[in-house]
Amino acid sequence: MTAINYAWSALGGDPSLPARVTTVARAGTLPARLPVRQLARACVSACTLAAAELGARRTGRAEVPAVLVDDGAVAAAFTSERQLLVDGRPPVPFAPLSRFWRTADGWVRTHANYPHHRARLRAALGLPEDASPQDVAARIAERPAVAVEDAAHAVGGLAVALRSPGEWAAHGQAVEVAARPLVERGRLDSAHARVLAPLDAGAAPLLPAAGLRVLDLTRVLAGPVATRTLGLLGADVLRLDAPWLPELADQHADTGFGKRSATLDLATDRAAFEELLASADVVVTGYRPGSLDRFGLTPEALAARRPGLVVAQVSAWGAYGPWGGRRGFDSLVQVATGIAETEGSADRPGALPAQALDHGTGYLLAAGVLRALTEQSYDGGSRFVRLALARTARWLSTELEPEPEAGEADPGPAAWLAETDSALGRLRYARPPLRFTGGPADWARRPVPWGSEPARWA
């Protein structure tokens, strides 16, 4: 089974539809020891096909529009955070304390891009808040990698010990991850079939998600990629953040296309949230599993209050197993699952050429939402879709069969970049990689300043 067919099957799609996908292979895109290019192409293909399928359903077309996926466009999109320029300034991808460190017995990687994560990392190491990277390096070098990992976890920080593929396979979390499908999906109730407003078959562009309302409760990076994609396809996407937890400016600029941005305190503004939920079609969450449960945001609780809802969830490790409640990011999942060792050298761990677990999982999450909407229009039922970066990592590292390098030479990302003015300044950005007959070529909505809009539907 090809990677595209596998991803489409995991989404429950009609097995005949991948024949509608044409790919433009380009040698040299996303170079790695693992088959990153295949994963990226498959995730974007599945997402585009799900969009085309929903578009056909809403326009009454008998045939799903043809899909074209170009490896060059996919590679540019999978590195969108690196392609971004804001008024000519490149982004800062990782803070000084987000990196690999030598330990007493190996390596550990930390993630400290946010101020609260930096404070927790220093606290885990018994260092003051003004401790320098040199101080951190010296303290970590004294300790075993797993001891650093455990100490950071105990205070809500982020550090993960480097593991080999074999060590990860024997870990309790890896065993739990392996037992799950790539995409967990299902019904939450027996709500009536969704009546989707018909779309004009002659309208240009065709926006399969037009008229749908999406509550975006996600951060870094898979969830925002998914909701950015839904915004491309015409959905009214409203991202909500806690007022005291601002997003990193460059990250917000990269993933803010196609959506609006507001702040809302779930502890004190529940009435405002419930008003939003009452007319929402989709809720997407990307916080640590369990962290939103106290606000009544489990899929079951949400569907009970809003029958017919689609609830999509993404996490680092999965909502199960010994690490089910842990925080995590793409870079850390690569380290734990053996990818960093595979992509590294004898002297130092390595990394994938893109945050491919984040981007790939994000496109699959958007695809899961689109497929759930299509299925609802036939069979009804509130639906859930759930993915985990660690499960995507398993697909990449142990389940995908590498293909020979083939295709045209990669010309580089320039052909798939564009520039626009926005409220954040002049932006250079990667255009969306989704292409289907009649579909949108770019986002209609440019990023707005973080938290600058009211927490209500347009």
Side-chain angles (χ1 to χ4, degrees):
M1 181 183 293
T2 67
I4 294 172
N5 288 80
Y6 180 84
W8 188 244
S9 175
L11 292 161
D14 179 342
S16 70
L17 288 184
R20 302 292 296 159
V21 179
T22 300
T23 61
V24 178
R26 296 188 185 273
T29 57
L30 301 174
R33 295 191 178 102
L34 292 170
V36 176
R37 180 174 62 155
Q38 290 168 242
L39 177 138
R41 182 196 296 159
C43 293
V44 171
S45 295
C47 186
T48 312
L49 190 56
E53 179 191 36
L54 181 60
R57 175 64 172 161
R58 295 190 67 183
T59 56
R61 296 175 180 174
E63 187 174 57
V64 170
V67 169
L68 176 66
V69 177
D70 191 307
D71 282 348
V74 172
F78 265 58
T79 56
S80 64
E81 67 277 8
R82 299 183 204 167
Q83 307 303 337
L84 179 74
L85 294 178
V86 181
D87 289 330
R89 176 187 58 80
V92 178
F94 288 101
L97 298 189
S98 296
R99 46 166 276 198
F100 284 108
W101 310 84
R102 282 194 179 274
T103 67
D105 61 352
W107 293 88
V108 70
R109 183 156 190 171
T110 56
H111 194 289
N113 283 3
Y114 290 95
H116 56 293
H117 290 157
R118 289 194 287 274
R120 291 170 186 173
L121 176 63
R122 290 186 174 106
L125 298 172
L127 293 171
E129 287 198 10
D130 61 351
S132 68
Q134 293 73 24
D135 297 329
V136 172
R139 186 62 54 89
I140 288 178
E142 301 169 350
R143 302 183 179 188
V146 172
V148 176
E149 177 183 277
D150 290 342
H153 171 63
V155 296
L158 290 146
V160 171
L162 177 71
R163 290 172 172 82
S164 69
E167 288 170 334
W168 175 247
H171 193 281
Q173 190 62 29
V175 174
E176 293 281 352
V177 167
R180 263 69 177 187
L182 178 63
V183 181
E184 296 182 78
R185 47 190 293 277
R187 297 172 67 120
L188 294 166
D189 57 29
S190 56
H192 295 301
R194 175 184 292 270
V195 179
L196 292 169
L199 299 176
D200 180 358
L206 170 60
L207 298 173
L212 298 173
R213 290 173 166 176
V214 178
L215 281 177
D216 176 3
L217 282 71
T218 70
R219 293 174 75 84
V220 202
L221 182 62
V225 166
T227 51
R228 181 179 69 182
T229 303
L230 297 175
L232 168 74
L233 298 170
D236 181 7
V237 179
L238 177 61
R239 172 161 165 169
L240 297 176
D241 285 281
W244 61 86
L245 201 60
E247 184 57 279
L248 300 174
D250 291 338
Q251 199 158 264
H252 174 71
D254 174 44
T255 61
F257 283 85
K259 60 185 79 170
R260 294 181 293 116
S261 174
T263 61
L264 189 144
D265 186 343
L266 289 173
T268 60
D269 297 335
R270 288 298 298 278
F273 178 81
E274 294 302 321
E275 185 175 348
L276 290 168
L277 178 64
S279 56
D281 300 288
V282 179
V283 174
V284 186
T285 68
Y287 287 79
R288 178 172 51 89
S291 61
L292 299 177
D293 291 1
R294 68 186 186 280
F295 301 113
L297 299 184
T298 65
E300 294 78 10
L302 288 167
R305 305 201 301 281
R306 174 63 169 158
L309 193 68
V310 173
V311 183
Q313 298 176 301
V314 63
S315 64
W317 310 105
Y320 41 74
W323 281 17
R326 291 204 178 197
R327 297 170 175 84
F329 294 96
D330 181 310
S331 59
L332 303 184
V333 176
Q334 290 187 41
V335 171
T337 59
I339 290 174
E341 180 176 285
T342 299
E343 295 293 334
S345 65
D347 298 326
R348 187 177 179 85
L352 298 175
Q355 294 188 69
L357 306 181
D358 262 332
H359 285 275
T361 304
Y363 286 111
L364 287 178
L365 190 68
V369 169
L370 297 166
R371 289 244 57 255
L373 292 165
T374 297
E375 290 178 334
Q376 278 186 330
S377 71
Y378 292 100
D379 303 328
S382 302
R383 307 273 174 150
F384 74 88
V385 181
R386 189 177 296 123
L387 286 100
L389 303 189
R391 183 60 183 85
T392 305
R394 175 179 171 80
W395 182 33
L396 173 65
S397 56
T398 68
E399 296 174 351
L400 266 176
E401 289 292 332
E403 294 177 355
E405 188 82 358
E408 307 172 21
D410 177 22
W416 294 279
L417 303 181
E419 291 195 14
T420 186
D421 289 317
S422 77
L424 303 181
R426 182 74 176 172
L427 302 180
R428 188 193 76 176
Y429 63 99
R431 290 187 284 117
L434 279 68
R435 291 287 186 274
F436 60 91
T437 302
D442 206 342
W443 289 276
R445 184 184 293 274
R446 299 317 190 213
V448 298
W450 179 85
S452 63
E453 302 195 348
R456 60 173 180 262
W457 296 117

